[in-house]
Amino acid sequence: MSAEAVPRSPWTALFERIGRHSLNVFEEVGRFFYILYNTIHWTFRRPFDIREWVRQMVRVGVDSIPVVGLTAMFTGMVMALQTYRGFARFHAEGFVASVVSLSLTRELAPVLASLMIAGRIGSSLAAELGTMRVTEQIDALYAMATEPIHYLVVPRVGATTLMLPPLVAIANGLGIFGGYGIAVGLMGANPIMYWDKTFQFLDLNDVFSGLIKAAVFGLILSVTGCTKGFFTTGGAEGVGRATTSAVVMGSVVILVSDFFLTKILF
Amino acid sequence: MANTRGDAGRVEQGGSAPKIAVIDLWKTFAGREVLRGINLEVDAGESFVIVGQSGAGKSVLLKHLIGLIAPDQGHVIIDGEDLTNSDAARSLEIRRKFGMSFQEGALFDSMDVLGNIAFPLMRHTRMSGDEIAARVRQCLALVHLEGVERKATSELSGGMRRRVGFARAIALQPEILLFDEPNTGLDPITSGVIDGVIVEMREHLDVTMVTITHDMKSAFRIADRIAMLRNGQIIATARPEAFRSLADPYIQKFLAGEPVEEEVA
Ligand SMILES: Nc1ncnc2c1ncn2[C@@H]1O[C@H](COP(=O)(O)OP(=O)(O)OP(=O)(O)O)[C@@H](O)[C@H]1O
Ligand SMILES: [Mg+2]
């Protein structure tokens, strides 16, 4: 630390730490919005790199189907298991189907799918862009008169934002299917009744709200991952830090914004 | 624009405005002054070489010339236009005049060699696939690399990476070329090949080159003028023959390869 002669009071040190910490937070938020703003700004500019968009959509969308599908299916299964036991206590087994379908489409499928994608894609975006930053590949893009946000970030953020709703739609289907399997196959629910109840209270708006949430989460997690990668410093170690914090920050922001989206919009 | 400002006016006057002008450039990284008031002018068609010890700030200076780093103070003026004060869109335009090869290659590892060298051609020209392939082959042949188009960049040796980076920089035949130690780590023969390419390009009156090197032999071969960077300042600029006979004891030791007691900043 510094070689000051005057001993500082612990209070000064404390305030200094708080101050430095809040500056860091402001910096992080500023960077996030810098990337977000420029991504939107460059999305509608030529050239449109269709091949890269497709490549990223496959990477985010198609390649994530197994992990998202599995997550959703088992969530549906465990939901059915839990609610069936609970609802049986007051003879409301009939509503298991409704609870499973409502909570999946409105809440669980979008949030859990997004968290899985934050782990799978947010981290790899940060690692990829971080490596390009520390090996000067991003500088090389600038040097070749190519805006890296245009070339790298736009297709990645765009693909993630576009692919999350269809992924969540698949998750909805598989989750409901998993719940049905457990309720009907294991708990002996009436298949026709269950199927009826699944859709009885399910509004198209419920599904839509979940899909819109998914798109917002996709935007958030991909911009977070790209921001962390884009501003990486400090070599391989820095790339590691960026990767970790892309997942942590992405997940936290998804959960926090989920609350506000649910409260305000739907 | 730039000519409304006082110090840029100096650049505009006279028949031959310099291609690149650097005015009082300062840069500090984490409390360490890396560039301390750099002034230099490079004329159109000139081959300008910057030499100096490792850590002197050569790479940092080169990155300022193309706007990869923003200075704390001072100006970089390209063709009379202030790069430092340009907005993002304008500086992208200005960068189209440049080609740059990086010290560590900075090759895109998501692409093979062909993809790397074709990248600027695909971004900024309307050449057909065949024309691009032909141009790539031509650039690779210039740096004595043949048949490596389909290799992944991770399969290349350090010297090969640097040569691919060099080929990528010259592919578009830009007006201004910046080379960061293009022949460091190359054997004398291959290093001579790179020098040969630079010397040949020097004959084109419309190519301006700034090259960084450690290697004085190569500096004397390729330079119209040589500048010595020391501790973030240009301590001398001279034509090669004059540079050799500069009296500065530091430069004499540098030329002779003798150790100096360096006051590390
Ligand atoms: N992005 C950066 N952040 C912090 N410090 C930096 C950065 N880039 C360069 N430096 C510092 O600036 C100084 C000069 O670096 P530079 O890369 O220009 O040296 P150089 O003259 O090119 O040396 P070499 O011949 O070894 O390549 C070094 O002390 C380096 O640590
Ligand atoms: Mg260097």
Side-chain angles (χ1 to χ4, degrees):
Chain A
M1 283 267 120
S2 55
E4 289 164 30
V6 193
R8 287 180 311 175
S9 88
W11 286 109
T12 320
L14 178 69
F15 285 130
E16 243 183 59
R17 278 182 70 141
I18 293 173
R20 204 167 329 127
H21 208 76
S22 7
L23 280 181
N24 284 343
V25 171
F26 279 127
E27 192 175 27
E28 291 286 329
V29 174
R31 286 172 171 177
F32 179 91
F33 283 104
Y34 171 85
I35 296 287
L36 179 63
Y37 170 82
N38 279 290
T39 305
I40 295 168
H41 175 82
W42 282 99
T43 297
F44 306 99
R45 304 247 167 156
R46 286 169 193 288
F48 302 105
D49 200 338
I50 308 289
R51 269 208 356 232
E52 184 63 11
W53 276 77
V54 172
R55 210 170 69 88
Q56 295 301 332
M57 283 165 83
V58 170
R59 166 191 182 183
V60 178
V62 180
D63 296 352
S64 299
I65 291 175
V67 59
V68 167
L70 221 61
T71 307
M73 200 158 84
F74 275 91
T75 306
M77 285 159 64
V78 89
M79 282 280 301
L81 210 57
Q82 292 278 26
T83 46
Y84 210 96
R85 293 229 173 99
F87 283 22
R89 290 178 200 165
F90 41 90
H91 306 291
E93 296 96 325
F95 289 103
V96 167
S98 313
V99 168
V100 168
S101 65
L102 271 176
S103 45
L104 268 174
T105 53
R106 286 187 63 92
E107 184 62 31
L108 288 175
V111 169
L112 290 180
S114 303
L115 291 178
M116 296 309 287
I117 301 292
R120 216 184 90 83
I121 300 298
S123 60
S124 83
L125 292 179
E128 189 181 20
L129 265 60
T131 306
M132 293 189 73
R133 166 63 76 190
V134 302
T135 56
E136 297 187 321
Q137 293 176 54
I138 288 185
D139 281 342
L141 280 173
Y142 276 126
M144 284 184 266
T146 299
E147 169 61 49
I149 293 185
H150 190 198
Y151 180 74
L152 295 172
V153 178
V154 164
R156 285 166 174 74
V157 169
T160 313
T161 310
L162 285 182
M163 290 319 283
L164 265 203
L167 275 173
V168 166
I170 293 173
N172 286 339
L174 284 172
I176 288 172
F177 171 77
Y180 178 91
I182 291 298
V184 172
L186 204 66
M187 309 307 240
N190 179 327
I192 297 173
M193 276 275 285
Y194 191 93
W195 199 244
D196 260 10
K197 289 280 181 197
T198 295
F199 298 104
Q200 188 181 356
F201 299 106
L202 190 63
D203 207 327
L204 213 52
N205 273 339
D206 296 320
V207 179
F208 275 141
S209 82
L211 297 185
I212 291 171
K213 269 187 189 177
V216 176
F217 296 158
L219 182 72
I220 290 173
L221 77 89
S222 55
V223 171
T224 306
C226 288
T227 306
K228 288 291 177 188
F230 197 80
F231 292 103
T232 300
T233 53
E237 202 190 333
V239 175
R241 267 198 309 271
T243 310
T244 310
S245 67
V247 178
V248 175
M249 290 278 296
S251 307
V252 170
V253 179
I254 283 173
L255 292 173
V256 172
S257 62
D258 178 45
F259 173 80
F260 289 102
L261 279 176
T262 310
K263 182 98 176 63
I264 296 166
L265 295 176
F266 311 109
Chain B
M1 275 245 179
N3 51 9
T4 56
R5 285 198 359 271
D7 50 0
R10 186 177 64 91
V11 178
E12 310 280 6
Q13 68 189 229
S16 60
K19 192 78 178 168
I20 304 170
V22 175
I23 300 164
D24 194 30
L25 207 64
W26 291 75
K27 184 68 187 180
T28 302
F29 281 122
R32 186 176 179 283
E33 288 182 332
V34 176
L35 300 183
R36 303 188 296 146
I38 302 273
N39 287 286
L40 60 88
E41 291 186 355
V42 182
D43 291 325
E46 192 179 19
S47 170
F48 193 85
V49 170
I50 300 170
V51 298
Q53 263 183 282
S54 179
K58 304 183 296 295
S59 297
V60 170
L61 173 57
L62 205 69
K63 285 178 188 165
H64 275 86
L65 298 186
I66 188 172
L68 291 178
I69 303 179
D72 298 336
Q73 188 188 319
H75 299 276
V76 173
I77 289 160
I78 307 297
D79 280 331
E81 198 174 346
D82 194 337
L83 184 59
T84 5
N85 287 348
S86 305
D87 58 21
R90 189 63 206 144
S91 33
L92 269 188
E93 280 300 311
I94 298 176
R95 284 200 203 108
R96 284 190 185 221
K97 300 177 180 180
F98 284 88
M100 175 166 181
S101 78
F102 288 77
Q103 194 165 356
E104 309 296 339
L107 302 182
F108 301 128
D109 45 28
S110 60
M111 307 171 192
D112 57 13
V113 170
L114 174 70
N116 267 280
I117 303 174
F119 185 87
L121 300 170
M122 295 201 314
R123 284 300 275 193
H124 300 305
T125 72
R126 297 185 173 280
M127 291 162 78
S128 71
D130 287 342
E131 288 169 328
I132 289 179
R135 177 69 187 146
V136 170
R137 207 170 320 117
Q138 192 185 359
C139 290
L140 283 173
L142 273 179
V143 295
H144 283 208
L145 282 173
E146 264 129 9
V148 298
E149 279 100 329
R150 284 296 164 205
K151 274 200 197 301
T153 57
S154 53
E155 295 172 61
L156 304 177
S157 75
M160 287 164 90
R161 296 175 66 84
R162 196 165 281 129
R163 281 184 283 162
V164 171
F166 186 90
R168 184 175 68 179
I170 62 175
L172 261 180
Q173 296 174 293
E175 298 168 34
I176 305 173
L177 281 163
L178 308 179
F179 301 128
D180 196 346
E181 308 204 8
N183 43 19
T184 301
L186 298 183
D187 59 276
I189 295 172
T190 320
S191 168
V193 167
I194 299 280
D195 287 349
V197 176
I198 296 180
V199 168
E200 197 177 307
M201 282 191 295
R202 200 174 71 176
E203 307 305 320
H204 291 283
L205 289 177
D206 45 356
V207 183
T208 309
M209 287 181 285
V210 180
T211 311
I212 292 175
T213 186
H214 282 299
D215 179 0
M216 285 316 295
K217 221 161 74 196
S218 146
F220 286 122
R221 242 188 318 224
I222 64 177
D224 291 321
R225 273 191 306 152
I226 301 176
M228 166 67 84
L229 189 64
R230 185 189 184 195
N231 286 335
Q233 287 177 319
I234 303 247
I235 58 168
T237 310
R239 303 203 153 271
E241 51 293 358
F243 194 89
R244 245 187 264 268
S245 47
L246 286 175
D248 186 299
Y250 176 80
I251 293 177
Q252 280 311 319
K253 284 192 169 164
F254 192 91
L255 289 176
E258 285 167 19
V260 280
E261 305 80 46
E262 189 58 280
E263 68 283 11
V264 176

